[in-house]
Amino acid sequence: MDALGINLSGLITQLVSFIILFLILKKILFGPINKILQTRAKKIQESLEMAESVKLEATESAEKLEAEINKARQEGQKLIGDARDAAEKYKQQEILRTTSESEEMIKKANKSIEKERDLAIQSVRKEFSSLVISAASKVVEKTIDQKDHKEILDKAIDDEIGKVKK
């Protein structure tokens, strides 16, 4: 080895020195640095896992929130539908009530008109009978008795009523 310029005793000394230095550095420097790096790697891993967990929780919360919003929308639509149904039902009830009140008023009005017509007919009969008796007395120049008068009057009124109804 001398031909190569390598001194065996120097080489061994350097090898032993290197091994001792390596062991000292490993014990003093590499061990704590390795622990620090492992601790740091562990913290980073935990942070990544926690971030993933938070991300999953956020996604779940967003889904829950969306579900709640959809549920609230559906309930709102149901309430609106119920309100529309109630309004329609109330409207129908009011239409029926108003219709029945209108029909009742029409019936009362018809009865009143009928009474007024009957009273008018009776009044016309009385007036007409006195006019007929007076005219007939003048024409015939005699007095008509009550029975004849009633027969003539009833016939004339029936004829007039028949004309009015047509």
Side-chain angles (χ1 to χ4, degrees):
M1 281 215 221
D2 279 338
L4 291 174
I6 297 176
N7 182 359
L8 186 61
S9 65
L11 181 64
I12 292 176
T13 308
Q14 284 183 354
L15 268 175
V16 170
S17 295
F18 179 76
I19 291 174
I20 292 172
L21 181 64
F22 179 75
L23 291 175
I24 291 172
L25 286 176
K26 182 178 178 187
K27 181 83 173 168
I28 295 173
L29 190 61
F30 293 131
I33 290 176
N34 195 19
K35 282 183 183 179
I36 291 171
L37 290 176
Q38 286 178 355
T39 305
R40 179 80 176 144
K42 187 176 179 182
K43 284 182 182 179
I44 291 171
Q45 185 63 31
E46 288 174 356
S47 295
L48 289 173
E49 289 173 359
M50 186 177 286
E52 187 65 30
S53 173
V54 168
K55 183 180 175 184
L56 289 174
E57 286 178 15
T59 304
E60 289 174 4
S61 294
E63 289 173 356
K64 285 180 184 178
L65 182 62
E66 187 67 32
E68 288 294 322
I69 289 171
N70 287 336
K71 184 178 178 183
R73 278 189 190 132
Q74 289 173 352
E75 288 176 5
Q77 292 297 326
K78 184 181 180 218
L79 288 174
I80 290 170
D82 290 346
R84 284 183 182 150
D85 292 344
E88 185 64 30
K89 185 177 180 181
Y90 179 75
K91 177 183 168 186
Q92 293 300 325
Q93 288 174 346
E94 286 299 308
I95 288 172
L96 290 174
R97 184 184 62 80
T98 305
T99 303
S100 67
E101 287 177 3
S102 298
E103 289 174 356
E104 189 64 33
M105 290 173 70
I106 290 170
K107 286 179 185 177
K108 286 180 182 178
N110 285 338
K111 285 181 182 179
S112 176
I113 290 170
E114 202 171 303
K115 285 181 183 177
E116 289 292 325
R117 185 181 54 89
D118 290 344
L119 288 173
I121 288 174
Q122 287 177 359
S123 175
V124 168
R125 276 188 176 178
K126 286 179 185 175
E127 290 276 331
F128 190 68
S129 67
S130 63
L131 287 173
V132 168
I133 290 173
S134 176
S137 294
K138 289 181 182 178
V139 170
V140 175
E141 300 231 331
K142 70 173 191 173
T143 305
I144 301 175
D145 67 357
Q146 193 67 17
K147 182 181 173 191
D148 291 337
H149 167 67
K150 185 169 180 5
E151 288 176 10
I152 292 171
L153 182 61
D154 287 340
K155 184 176 181 197
I157 289 174
D158 288 341
D159 288 344
E160 288 299 315
I161 290 175
K163 289 179 184 176
V164 170
K165 287 185 179 178
K166 289 181 184 180

